[in-house]
Amino acid sequence: MAIVETEAALHDAHRDNHTHRDVNGGWLRPAVFGAMDGLVSNLALMTGVAGGSVSHHTIVLTGFAGLAAGAFSMAAGEYTSVASQRELVEAELDVERRELRKHPKDEEAELAALYEGRGVEPGLAREVARQLSRDPEQALEIHAREELGIDPGDLPSPLVAAVSSFGSFALGALLPVVPYLLGATALWPAVLLALLGLFACGAVVAKVTARTWWFSGLRQLALGGAAAGVTYALGSLFGTAVG
């Protein structure tokens, strides 16, 4: 008896503590992509210019220009993208809302058929659909989740996406500029700091994915290093050709 009670208590504790991370938030994706893009693009831009044998003043100016242009571009792109997606979802919700108002029985039957398709007994499926359809807003939420795969109360915010993208890109793009602001006159400290930043970002991203921290970190480091190496070679080539 004591064992049964203990197992029940453990089961209840597990059920109460069973939580999931927010995978639908409007800030995570733009923040992650913003930081990665800021690091990779500005590092590549600065190494490409440095490959042309220009002064460190020009490299710093290029870094700040890349930071400003990229941050505003990312923010504008994220805002437009998320706003367009949200408007499309809201338009589809309006269609579903009209159908629920004009043809409530048909929508109820549609919901019942959907549950039947998932293995629920027909009588029970019709009863569940009937009870869920009594509240129009609840019915809309259920139909949206089942038919469109969205939660009407948890749509991403264009403003949150834009601000997250702007801030994270600016922080990422600033990293390779920092050594120059601290007095460095060579390129390698900026490259080293940026690559360390890429590894750290990859490791942090692994906290919200199924990847190990070292794999994610090394992957980002390799991609960023490859981008910097290629643009440096191109900068050297073009610098020689133009010079």
Side-chain angles (χ1 to χ4, degrees):
M1 182 66 178
I3 295 176
V4 174
E5 290 176 351
T6 302
E7 289 178 348
L10 289 174
H11 175 74
D12 291 340
H14 172 73
R15 182 185 59 194
D16 293 340
N17 294 327
H18 186 67
T19 58
H20 291 282
R21 292 164 291 189
D22 179 14
V23 297
N24 293 320
W27 64 271
L28 180 59
R29 184 183 64 85
V32 170
F33 278 101
M36 297 295 185
D37 196 18
L39 272 165
V40 174
S41 64
N42 220 30
L43 174 62
L45 179 63
M46 291 172 65
T47 54
V49 172
S53 301
V54 299
S55 66
H56 77 278
H57 175 77
T58 302
I59 297 175
V60 173
L61 182 60
T62 300
F64 277 117
L67 185 156
F72 281 109
S73 176
M74 285 285 291
E78 280 295 334
Y79 186 91
T80 302
S81 174
V82 175
S84 299
Q85 179 186 9
R86 187 183 179 109
E87 289 165 1
L88 175 61
V89 169
E90 289 174 344
E92 291 300 313
L93 288 175
D94 286 339
V95 171
E96 193 65 36
R97 189 176 287 109
R98 286 196 300 271
E99 288 299 311
L100 284 168
R101 186 174 60 252
K102 294 179 179 179
H103 310 288
K105 292 299 181 182
D106 291 340
E107 291 297 309
E108 182 180 321
E110 183 180 334
L111 191 60
L114 193 151
Y115 288 139
E116 284 185 47
R118 293 186 176 181
V120 180
E121 295 181 359
L124 180 58
R126 288 193 296 271
E127 179 60 20
V128 170
R130 185 188 67 80
Q131 293 190 30
L132 291 176
S133 299
R134 288 184 298 192
D135 181 354
E137 288 304 313
Q138 178 177 259
L140 175 63
E141 181 177 336
I142 297 297
H143 278 274
R145 287 182 175 179
E146 297 293 345
E147 297 177 27
L148 304 176
I150 59 173
D151 183 353
D154 191 28
L155 299 181
S157 166
L159 183 60
V160 169
V163 171
S164 299
S165 181
F166 182 93
S168 59
F169 185 99
L171 287 175
L174 181 63
L175 207 57
V177 183
V178 168
Y180 287 100
L181 298 180
L182 296 178
T185 57
L187 178 64
W188 69 265
V191 173
L192 179 60
L193 184 60
L195 292 179
L196 288 174
L198 282 169
F199 181 85
C201 283
V204 170
V205 169
K207 294 295 183 181
V208 293
T209 66
R211 292 290 187 181
T212 57
W213 64 271
W214 57 266
F215 176 87
S216 184
L218 288 176
R219 179 176 58 184
Q220 291 306 133
L221 187 150
L223 291 173
V230 170
T231 52
Y232 183 85
L234 290 174
S236 299
L237 179 64
F238 293 150
T240 302
V242 173

